[in-house]
């Protein structure tokens, strides 16, 4: 199994050019990279940046993560979230969290028995 993780680390290391291009579009650092079953990573971007991301070399797809809507704001009050928003001058509007996926590695050992 350790060889598989070595391969995943190699896949993740190969994402550097795409990550740099994504950072130039979004202005934000890439979050969690994936390299074991899929070749991709998470990042944050504005809806207006999605078309540019989809056009980058090495990007096969850009998927928007599920959108959640707040139904109960009492938790915000209990956690003093509004104070944090005021202090940081942000509320998260206009930001999306998504995974950029460059495809599934069908030669991966996991798929050999499938």
């Amino acid at each position: 199994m350790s060889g598989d993780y070595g391969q995943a680390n190699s896949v993740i290391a190969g994402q550097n050019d795409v990550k740099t291009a994504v950072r130039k579009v979004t202005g934000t650092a890439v979050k969690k990279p994936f390299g074991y079953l899929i070749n991709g990573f998470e990042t944050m971007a504005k809806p207006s940046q999605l078309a540019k991301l989809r056009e980058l070399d090495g990007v096969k797809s850009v998927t928007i993560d599920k959108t959640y809507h707040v139904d109960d704001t009492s938790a915000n009050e209990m956690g003093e979230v509004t104070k944090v928003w005021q202090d940081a001058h942000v509320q998260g509007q206009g930001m999306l969290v998504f995974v950029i996926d460059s495809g599934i590695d069908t030669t991966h050992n996991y798929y050999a028995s499938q």
Side-chain angles (χ1 to χ4, degrees), residues 48-68:
S48 61
Q49 298 168 332
L50 297 180
K52 288 181 184 176
L53 292 172
R54 288 183 175 111
E55 293 173 359
L56 294 175
D57 287 338
V59 174
K60 301 229 184 221
S61 70
V62 176
T63 305
I64 299 173
D65 200 9
K66 185 174 180 179
T67 302
Y68 295 91

Side-chain angles (χ1 to χ4, degrees), residues 32-43:
K32 183 178 178 183
F34 307 105
Y36 188 66
L37 292 178
I38 64 169
N39 181 1
F41 50 85
E42 296 175 4
T43 193

